[in-house]
Amino acid sequence: MSDEEEAQLEEGEEEEEQEPVECKLTEQLCGDSLSLLCKIGNGLSHAYIKMDLHGKTLTDISIISAFVHVRYLDLSNNKLDSLSSLASLTHLLTLKADNNRLTTAALPQMPYLQRASFQNNKITTTEGIAHPLLEVLNLNNNQITKANLNGNELRKLSVLEIRGNLLTSTAGLGLPKLQRLYLGENMITELADLDKCIALKILHLRGNSETTNQIESFDRLF
């Protein structure tokens, strides 16, 4: 690589680390992003329940708290570092927040949330993920070092993707309803709590360390 190319690479890396320019979500943009008109409440009223805000370079979505009827929300490919404004969206069924600047996926308990994706962020912990109807969770390509998911809080979770993180153990992933667990490209050297995964059918561990020998003791995974 030439000196000029190295300089350009360093310059690009510096730009990536710079704070993003503030970009607030507006009522106009919210209106433009809404679709799928449906009945709500007792069936006598209607509201748009799908909001697509992907790729808008948003840094502030505070105004979204007013859109309480949204059930399908896409916030991927923005510059968000917080999802706290979603607390009032208790009717959410699906949430996509990939490719942002999130350091946590924590949210107040969402009683109807079924699918959530937070891949390609900077999430370091699984704390605060406790949605009783959640079935599919994607945490791929983050910075999680330790898992702590509660089977009593995640009673329906059947698919968990947590590839490309910094896990060294499977401790904290003992979920009784889990059927598919994807753990590739971590640094796992210890298999723990998998005996609690009584419904597990698929366990993906490619790209880890010293796990293939240990996995033979978990007969029901084959």
Side-chain angles (χ1 to χ4, degrees):
M1 181 182 293
S2 67
D3 292 342
E4 183 179 352
E5 289 174 331
E6 288 182 357
Q8 290 176 347
L9 180 59
E10 291 176 0
E11 182 179 350
E13 291 175 347
E14 290 176 359
E15 289 178 356
E16 287 182 1
E17 293 300 321
Q18 291 177 357
E19 289 296 317
V21 176
E22 184 178 36
C23 182
K24 288 188 175 183
L25 180 60
T26 63
E27 289 187 9
Q28 178 65 48
L29 185 53
C30 283
D32 293 343
S33 70
L34 287 168
S35 62
L36 196 57
L37 188 64
C38 286
K39 292 180 180 180
I40 58 172
N42 59 10
L44 300 178
S45 301
H46 293 76
Y48 290 103
I49 63 170
K50 183 177 181 180
M51 181 177 281
D52 186 350
L53 291 167
H54 81 277
K56 305 298 184 183
T57 66
L58 296 169
T59 59
D60 185 339
I61 56 171
S62 300
I63 195 174
I64 205 172
S65 62
F67 293 81
V68 296
H69 299 297
V70 169
R71 300 177 194 171
Y72 307 95
L73 179 60
D74 188 349
L75 294 170
S76 56
N77 299 299
N78 282 290
K79 306 293 183 181
L80 301 173
D81 59 17
S82 173
L83 297 178
S84 59
S85 300
L86 303 186
S88 61
L89 277 63
T90 56
H91 294 283
L92 276 179
L93 297 177
T94 68
L95 171 61
K96 188 175 182 181
D98 303 339
N99 300 304
N100 278 281
R101 294 172 174 245
L102 302 173
T103 57
T104 177
L107 286 168
Q109 189 176 92
M110 296 287 176
Y112 306 111
L113 188 64
Q114 298 173 14
R115 304 177 69 93
S117 183
F118 304 95
Q119 66 177 346
N120 298 320
N121 278 281
K122 299 179 180 180
I123 294 169
T124 59
T125 176
T126 61
E127 296 288 341
I129 303 175
H131 314 296
L133 297 185
L134 190 64
E135 297 178 3
V136 180
L137 175 61
N138 187 335
L139 292 167
N140 288 341
N141 301 317
N142 279 285
Q143 299 170 16
I144 299 168
T145 58
K146 183 179 180 181
N148 185 20
L149 297 175
N150 190 320
N152 293 322
E153 297 171 335
L154 295 167
R155 297 187 296 271
K156 297 285 188 178
L157 192 64
S158 61
V159 180
L160 174 59
E161 298 197 41
I162 193 166
R163 298 182 181 97
N165 279 272
L166 303 173
L167 294 173
T168 58
S169 172
T170 59
L173 296 174
L175 303 170
K177 295 292 185 179
L178 204 58
Q179 296 183 28
R180 289 183 282 169
L181 177 57
Y182 299 95
L183 293 166
E185 304 302 327
N186 278 280
M187 298 184 293
I188 295 172
T189 58
E190 177 192 31
L191 298 180
D193 289 348
L194 294 184
D195 57 317
K196 301 175 183 177
C197 300
I198 57 177
L200 198 60
K201 297 178 180 178
I202 295 175
L203 176 60
H204 181 275
L205 284 163
R206 186 176 301 163
N208 283 280
S209 303
E210 300 179 9
T211 52
T212 53
N213 292 333
Q214 297 180 54
I215 197 64
E216 294 177 2
S217 64
F218 293 88
D219 295 334
R220 69 170 165 277
L221 302 184
F222 295 92

